[in-house]
Amino acid sequence: MSATPLVASAKSGAASLWSSQSSWSQTLSRLTSSRRRQYPKLRISPSRILALRLRSKTDGQKKTYRHAFEFGAKQHADRLPLLLLQAWIARQNIQNEPDLSATIRTITPPEWSDRFHSLASRGWSKEDVDHWIWILSGEDGDVRVQRLISTEAPKPIFLVTFLVRSDETFHRAESLLSLMEYISKHHFHPKSPASNHNITIPSRKMTMTVSQFLILLRRLVNHVQRIWPRSIVTVARFTMDYIQRMPSESGTNSYRHKCEIFNTALQSFKRPAATQPLANREFNWRAQRLLLAMSDNLDKPFVINRASYRAVREVMVGLKKSQTEKAVAMRYAKSWPPYRQDFDGLDAKRTAEDDHSRSVKAGILAKDAGYPDDHYDQALDALGGMGANSPTVQTRSLPPKRWKGEKEDLNLYSHWAMLIRATRNRQEAWKVFNNVASKTGKAPNVQVYAEMFIKLQARQVPETSNALPGDSRESFPIHDANYSEYELARLSPPTVSELYDQMISRGVKPEGHCLHTLLANANSLEEGSRYLRDSGIDDASVDALALFKQPSYQAVREIPLLVFKSYIQLLCRLQPNRRGWQKIFPDELLRIRHAIKLTRVRLRQGTTEGSTFRPAWNIILRALARPHICVINSTPADNDAEALAISLDVLGSLEKTAGIDPDAFLYICRAVQKAAGSRLDSREFQLGGDAEEYPPLFPNAEAVAGRLKSIFSQIGRVVRTTEGGPGSLPAPKFMHSVGPAHLHTYMRTLAFLEDTAAMAGLLRWMLAHREYVNEEAERIEPRGHALVAKTLCAFEVFAGPALAREEHEDLAERLERGAETAGFWRWPTEEELETYVQSDLRFGTQRLRQRILDRLRARSSRQEGREMAAAVSEWCDVYVPRRRRYPSCDV
């Protein structure tokens, strides 16, 4: 059949459909052209150009990317991201971009009309494009997501995945949760015809393909691990939902696609959290375990590939020891290698396989599945407690670096480095360092040297610690009583400076983790500068870090971010402590102020690093909260007050950039306690004084209390969820991890701020979220339960005497309701309160309690005085006139 009549009939009605003859010709050309011409492969992705345009806020940024913008404006393809980019640019004020303005003006009104008309064939309209532009115009990522989900109208998948690109920044947990729920509702395969009677399924292709979902999954994991690590479990449920709703008709690639998603998710879920990666490792394991359980319950379980076995093992080496693994660690021999000792007959019956850790067992399963191990797998074995021919110390750790491709042979050094890490002290580490070198005939690389430096610089584990070998990086005692002096000299490791000279003489430069640990633990700023110069960092950038210099952003930016963090850590560590009445030189006092200045330059507001990187700020706040840190040459009270003032100033900078997290809140609370405790030491309070004799412990106490309450309301805010709605997902209750340590410190801080009402409010918060507090206490067992009990003691010691009787009884009744389920949720006894008061030897618990009691006595005395005066006044009003009228009256 000839197409000419159809074309003619369509063309005859062109006046009602097309704005001009030219637009009709262009549309006809577009409709008859090949798919390659309609959707050409461009040298730069339109979505990438769109992302560059979105983050270009200043004229300088727009000038940097002007070539990409002009390239996107010149294209005439029908791809939705390209059309959105051009329409968005056309609506912006681009007078300062003359070349881009000229390019956009070359698109004539008929061409715009033609392109918008062509959208109809794909189910979109000009109004849809306007809506997408409105979404992109949001102030930040959170606003853009809220605009996306504000209407039930489906959006193109490219826009959904674009909003979670890797360079986007989110600050609210609800943004990620609501986005996942929106996608599950609108872009997954329908669950069943009956479940979709209220959902309009559009005719256009709105269901995510496997490749689109995998892109989305990787981006979601990136964001949740940065701001909400616990919700990695929610992402796992989100993934399971997508897999379970995929069609499973025979004769398709459904099973292969499901296996692909399953394995990609297992590997994605190994990504460590941006903050406290080891502490949050259990949530990585929960996410992986959900997928593994889903697979086990299928008639045909998914095939686990080699990379997924490794991903599971990489998570397992970061978990706390199980009860069985603890029992093995307690039986390590004191000599090296640490063979297990038999304590009883049951131990004697155990085989070597019974002592394997979970990570080692997973490695054995991988071998049974047909995946031979290599140097990287052996490195994971070493962390799991199994060396090549002898046991090692099971060590809780993040996985080592894995070399790929042409550098895969370098995994030998990863194995070597992990053998050193899986030792208990520097002597054992030095023995392993030399043994591997003699066996392989190879010289150590920077990765191996880094682990040896860490062992040499490790602190000794306290004698009172209950930690087992491998639980932390602390060094355990060396048992060398049976060695001769010659043997001791032979086995003794070198000093850090000696080993560093050896490393440099072999042509190995400090870089990466090696540079970080050397720099953070340097003995002086000059030594730190030497490490930086030896690493190959530009001299101008190193000079910009020096004291009394005015650093520029460009110079400081040349230093890698983690190296910069290590230098800030060095400055804070070298800030001196008070030395009695001995004055400290100004160049020593200025180190922490210089660290603050450098951090403000590098992590400035409006930059990606500034809005996402928080560790440098927290290092400064932790240093300022140090008990004896010196910031000015003055009395302890004035010094600690100045440290608090600096902390509050730093806190303001952090609020404007990356935002405050529970760690920063903990450090500022400690700084407040320290300042208040020093003020208590410096002043004497008289019994029975007037109200003026009990002023706040520092002048701005009320403002500080208000600021802390505001911060706690943010980090203790419950995440809003849509339980039971279409596409709803179970999610963690809180975005931030507020544990017993934070609660106890905050309760004490409010006591020093003398805010009894806020203390009662905090206790009500704990009672309202008792289940969550219990979970957090279990995570750090047994210390967690003790901290909850201490928090209750702090409340009763400091707030109990000042509370009204009715309020006190109400709180006690609410507290006792949970006593039967958790023994530590009970009102403390008098003996426990006295023990709590006497146990604090640093922050003035006894003096603060005495001040509170004295003030209450004074207030009571004044109240009794007022009552007596009122009675006398009443007596005078009644008795004196009567005496005048009846002189013989005797009272």
Side-chain angles (χ1 to χ4, degrees), residues 666 673 739-749 762 766 786-794 836:
L666 183 70
Q673 290 187 40
H742 302 92
L743 297 173
H744 178 237
T745 304
Y746 183 40
M747 184 69 80
R748 286 180 55 86
T749 305
L762 176 58
M766 293 175 61
L787 283 171
V788 173
K790 283 185 175 183
T791 307
L792 299 177
C793 287
Y836 176 78

mmCIF file of all heavy atoms in Angstrom, residues 666 673 739-749 762 766 786-794 836:
data_model
loop_
_atom_site.group_PDB
_atom_site.id
_atom_site.type_symbol
_atom_site.label_atom_id
_atom_site.label_comp_id
_atom_site.label_asym_id
_atom_site.label_seq_id
_atom_site.Cartn_x
_atom_site.Cartn_y
_atom_site.Cartn_z
ATOM 1 N N LEU A 666 27.546 15.737 70.863
ATOM 2 C CA LEU A 666 28.192 15.172 72.045
ATOM 3 C C LEU A 666 29.377 16.026 72.483
ATOM 4 O O LEU A 666 29.547 16.305 73.684
ATOM 5 C CB LEU A 666 28.657 13.744 71.730
ATOM 6 C CG LEU A 666 29.301 12.954 72.861
ATOM 7 C CD1 LEU A 666 28.269 12.582 73.909
ATOM 8 C CD2 LEU A 666 29.972 11.697 72.322
ATOM 9 N N GLN A 673 29.856 21.213 79.801
ATOM 10 C CA GLN A 673 30.101 20.644 81.125
ATOM 11 C C GLN A 673 31.456 21.079 81.671
ATOM 12 O O GLN A 673 31.592 21.415 82.855
ATOM 13 C CB GLN A 673 30.052 19.117 81.055
ATOM 14 C CG GLN A 673 28.672 18.544 80.821
ATOM 15 C CD GLN A 673 28.674 17.027 80.927
ATOM 16 O OE1 GLN A 673 29.331 16.461 81.783
ATOM 17 N NE2 GLN A 673 27.945 16.371 80.047
ATOM 18 N N GLY A 739 22.455 7.557 70.831
ATOM 19 C CA GLY A 739 22.587 6.428 71.726
ATOM 20 C C GLY A 739 22.622 6.815 73.189
ATOM 21 O O GLY A 739 22.521 7.995 73.557
ATOM 22 N N PRO A 740 22.783 5.827 74.061
ATOM 23 C CA PRO A 740 22.827 6.099 75.503
ATOM 24 C C PRO A 740 23.916 7.085 75.899
ATOM 25 O O PRO A 740 23.729 7.877 76.833
ATOM 26 C CB PRO A 740 23.087 4.713 76.104
ATOM 27 C CG PRO A 740 22.508 3.756 75.107
ATOM 28 C CD PRO A 740 22.772 4.379 73.774
ATOM 29 N N ALA A 741 25.073 7.075 75.208
ATOM 30 C CA ALA A 741 26.143 8.020 75.549
ATOM 31 C C ALA A 741 25.697 9.460 75.307
ATOM 32 O O ALA A 741 25.980 10.356 76.110
ATOM 33 C CB ALA A 741 27.395 7.707 74.735
ATOM 34 N N HIS A 742 24.990 9.685 74.209
ATOM 35 C CA HIS A 742 24.499 11.039 73.918
ATOM 36 C C HIS A 742 23.454 11.464 74.949
ATOM 37 O O HIS A 742 23.450 12.616 75.412
ATOM 38 C CB HIS A 742 23.874 11.087 72.517
ATOM 39 C CG HIS A 742 24.818 10.668 71.421
ATOM 40 N ND1 HIS A 742 24.897 9.369 70.977
ATOM 41 C CD2 HIS A 742 25.722 11.375 70.692
ATOM 42 C CE1 HIS A 742 25.799 9.292 70.017
ATOM 43 N NE2 HIS A 742 26.324 10.487 69.826
ATOM 44 N N LEU A 743 22.571 10.535 75.315
ATOM 45 C CA LEU A 743 21.501 10.869 76.251
ATOM 46 C C LEU A 743 22.058 11.198 77.636
ATOM 47 O O LEU A 743 21.625 12.153 78.279
ATOM 48 C CB LEU A 743 20.503 9.713 76.330
ATOM 49 C CG LEU A 743 19.768 9.386 75.022
ATOM 50 C CD1 LEU A 743 18.945 8.124 75.178
ATOM 51 C CD2 LEU A 743 18.891 10.551 74.585
ATOM 52 N N HIS A 744 23.019 10.410 78.086
ATOM 53 C CA HIS A 744 23.599 10.668 79.404
ATOM 54 C C HIS A 744 24.352 11.998 79.421
ATOM 55 O O HIS A 744 24.199 12.807 80.347
ATOM 56 C CB HIS A 744 24.537 9.524 79.793
ATOM 57 C CG HIS A 744 25.216 9.729 81.100
ATOM 58 N ND1 HIS A 744 26.590 9.739 81.248
ATOM 59 C CD2 HIS A 744 24.713 9.960 82.351
ATOM 60 C CE1 HIS A 744 26.902 9.957 82.510
ATOM 61 N NE2 HIS A 744 25.786 10.078 83.209
ATOM 62 N N THR A 745 25.138 12.246 78.387
ATOM 63 C CA THR A 745 25.889 13.501 78.323
ATOM 64 C C THR A 745 24.953 14.696 78.240
ATOM 65 O O THR A 745 25.180 15.728 78.886
ATOM 66 C CB THR A 745 26.836 13.484 77.112
ATOM 67 O OG1 THR A 745 27.692 12.343 77.197
ATOM 68 C CG2 THR A 745 27.681 14.744 77.048
ATOM 69 N N TYR A 746 23.887 14.584 77.454
ATOM 70 C CA TYR A 746 22.935 15.689 77.313
ATOM 71 C C TYR A 746 22.200 15.945 78.626
ATOM 72 O O TYR A 746 21.981 17.100 79.015
ATOM 73 C CB TYR A 746 21.959 15.367 76.188
ATOM 74 C CG TYR A 746 20.964 16.462 75.880
ATOM 75 C CD1 TYR A 746 21.336 17.807 75.874
ATOM 76 C CD2 TYR A 746 19.635 16.158 75.573
ATOM 77 C CE1 TYR A 746 20.422 18.805 75.594
ATOM 78 C CE2 TYR A 746 18.721 17.145 75.272
ATOM 79 C CZ TYR A 746 19.107 18.466 75.290
ATOM 80 O OH TYR A 746 18.199 19.464 75.002
ATOM 81 N N MET A 747 21.833 14.872 79.330
ATOM 82 C CA MET A 747 21.142 15.033 80.611
ATOM 83 C C MET A 747 22.038 15.767 81.605
ATOM 84 O O MET A 747 21.589 16.703 82.312
ATOM 85 C CB MET A 747 20.745 13.666 81.168
ATOM 86 C CG MET A 747 19.922 13.725 82.453
ATOM 87 S SD MET A 747 18.249 14.377 82.197
ATOM 88 C CE MET A 747 17.427 12.917 81.541
ATOM 89 N N ARG A 748 23.306 15.412 81.678
ATOM 90 C CA ARG A 748 24.225 16.084 82.589
ATOM 91 C C ARG A 748 24.444 17.539 82.173
ATOM 92 O O ARG A 748 24.550 18.428 83.012
ATOM 93 C CB ARG A 748 25.568 15.341 82.613
ATOM 94 C CG ARG A 748 25.540 14.029 83.363
ATOM 95 C CD ARG A 748 26.915 13.374 83.342
ATOM 96 N NE ARG A 748 27.937 14.265 83.854
ATOM 97 C CZ ARG A 748 28.256 14.393 85.146
ATOM 98 N NH1 ARG A 748 27.600 13.672 86.040
ATOM 99 N NH2 ARG A 748 29.204 15.231 85.532
ATOM 100 N N THR A 749 24.522 17.769 80.869
ATOM 101 C CA THR A 749 24.733 19.137 80.388
ATOM 102 C C THR A 749 23.569 20.032 80.765
ATOM 103 O O THR A 749 23.755 21.182 81.201
ATOM 104 C CB THR A 749 24.934 19.133 78.861
ATOM 105 O OG1 THR A 749 26.005 18.251 78.529
ATOM 106 C CG2 THR A 749 25.252 20.524 78.350
ATOM 107 N N LEU A 762 13.600 15.569 78.367
ATOM 108 C CA LEU A 762 14.467 14.525 77.819
ATOM 109 C C LEU A 762 14.064 13.159 78.355
ATOM 110 O O LEU A 762 14.050 12.168 77.608
ATOM 111 C CB LEU A 762 15.927 14.827 78.170
ATOM 112 C CG LEU A 762 16.961 13.782 77.741
ATOM 113 C CD1 LEU A 762 16.921 13.560 76.236
ATOM 114 C CD2 LEU A 762 18.366 14.186 78.190
ATOM 115 N N MET A 766 12.871 9.830 76.236
ATOM 116 C CA MET A 766 13.407 8.475 76.391
ATOM 117 C C MET A 766 12.300 7.463 76.657
ATOM 118 O O MET A 766 12.314 6.353 76.116
ATOM 119 C CB MET A 766 14.426 8.456 77.530
ATOM 120 C CG MET A 766 15.694 9.243 77.260
ATOM 121 S SD MET A 766 16.804 9.287 78.704
ATOM 122 C CE MET A 766 17.150 7.544 78.926
ATOM 123 N N ALA A 786 24.292 0.221 81.208
ATOM 124 C CA ALA A 786 24.833 1.012 82.319
ATOM 125 C C ALA A 786 24.652 2.502 82.065
ATOM 126 O O ALA A 786 24.355 3.263 82.998
ATOM 127 C CB ALA A 786 26.307 0.676 82.506
ATOM 128 N N LEU A 787 24.805 2.933 80.823
ATOM 129 C CA LEU A 787 24.638 4.355 80.507
ATOM 130 C C LEU A 787 23.186 4.798 80.650
ATOM 131 O O LEU A 787 22.909 5.926 81.071
ATOM 132 C CB LEU A 787 25.137 4.630 79.086
ATOM 133 C CG LEU A 787 26.660 4.697 78.916
ATOM 134 C CD1 LEU A 787 27.036 4.759 77.449
ATOM 135 C CD2 LEU A 787 27.222 5.899 79.661
ATOM 136 N N VAL A 788 22.248 3.922 80.299
ATOM 137 C CA VAL A 788 20.837 4.258 80.510
ATOM 138 C C VAL A 788 20.562 4.423 82.000
ATOM 139 O O VAL A 788 19.892 5.381 82.427
ATOM 140 C CB VAL A 788 19.924 3.178 79.898
ATOM 141 C CG1 VAL A 788 18.461 3.442 80.268
ATOM 142 C CG2 VAL A 788 20.073 3.131 78.386
ATOM 143 N N ALA A 789 21.091 3.515 82.803
ATOM 144 C CA ALA A 789 20.902 3.621 84.258
ATOM 145 C C ALA A 789 21.553 4.891 84.793
ATOM 146 O O ALA A 789 21.001 5.572 85.672
ATOM 147 C CB ALA A 789 21.488 2.386 84.945
ATOM 148 N N LYS A 790 22.725 5.261 84.260
ATOM 149 C CA LYS A 790 23.387 6.493 84.697
ATOM 150 C C LYS A 790 22.572 7.724 84.312
ATOM 151 O O LYS A 790 22.539 8.711 85.050
ATOM 152 C CB LYS A 790 24.776 6.576 84.071
ATOM 153 C CG LYS A 790 25.811 5.677 84.730
ATOM 154 C CD LYS A 790 27.182 5.925 84.127
ATOM 155 C CE LYS A 790 28.251 5.122 84.860
ATOM 156 N NZ LYS A 790 29.604 5.409 84.314
ATOM 157 N N THR A 791 21.929 7.672 83.163
ATOM 158 C CA THR A 791 21.090 8.798 82.744
ATOM 159 C C THR A 791 19.940 9.007 83.720
ATOM 160 O O THR A 791 19.595 10.143 84.078
ATOM 161 C CB THR A 791 20.547 8.566 81.327
ATOM 162 O OG1 THR A 791 21.633 8.277 80.447
ATOM 163 C CG2 THR A 791 19.801 9.783 80.812
ATOM 164 N N LEU A 792 19.337 7.903 84.163
ATOM 165 C CA LEU A 792 18.257 8.002 85.143
ATOM 166 C C LEU A 792 18.781 8.523 86.485
ATOM 167 O O LEU A 792 18.113 9.312 87.163
ATOM 168 C CB LEU A 792 17.601 6.632 85.322
ATOM 169 C CG LEU A 792 16.964 6.032 84.058
ATOM 170 C CD1 LEU A 792 16.414 4.636 84.349
ATOM 171 C CD2 LEU A 792 15.874 6.929 83.511
ATOM 172 N N CYS A 793 19.992 8.095 86.852
ATOM 173 C CA CYS A 793 20.595 8.609 88.088
ATOM 174 C C CYS A 793 20.855 10.108 87.980
ATOM 175 O O CYS A 793 20.595 10.869 88.935
ATOM 176 C CB CYS A 793 21.909 7.873 88.368
ATOM 177 S SG CYS A 793 21.728 6.174 88.949
ATOM 178 N N ALA A 794 21.380 10.542 86.832
ATOM 179 C CA ALA A 794 21.653 11.968 86.651
ATOM 180 C C ALA A 794 20.375 12.789 86.768
ATOM 181 O O ALA A 794 20.362 13.870 87.373
ATOM 182 C CB ALA A 794 22.309 12.200 85.289
ATOM 183 N N TYR A 836 26.697 6.995 92.126
ATOM 184 C CA TYR A 836 26.843 7.806 90.914
ATOM 185 C C TYR A 836 27.510 9.141 91.219
ATOM 186 O O TYR A 836 28.396 9.589 90.487
ATOM 187 C CB TYR A 836 25.468 8.038 90.287
ATOM 188 C CG TYR A 836 25.490 8.953 89.081
ATOM 189 C CD1 TYR A 836 25.904 8.486 87.843
ATOM 190 C CD2 TYR A 836 25.103 10.289 89.186
ATOM 191 C CE1 TYR A 836 25.942 9.315 86.735
ATOM 192 C CE2 TYR A 836 25.134 11.131 88.090
ATOM 193 C CZ TYR A 836 25.549 10.640 86.851
ATOM 194 O OH TYR A 836 25.591 11.478 85.772
#
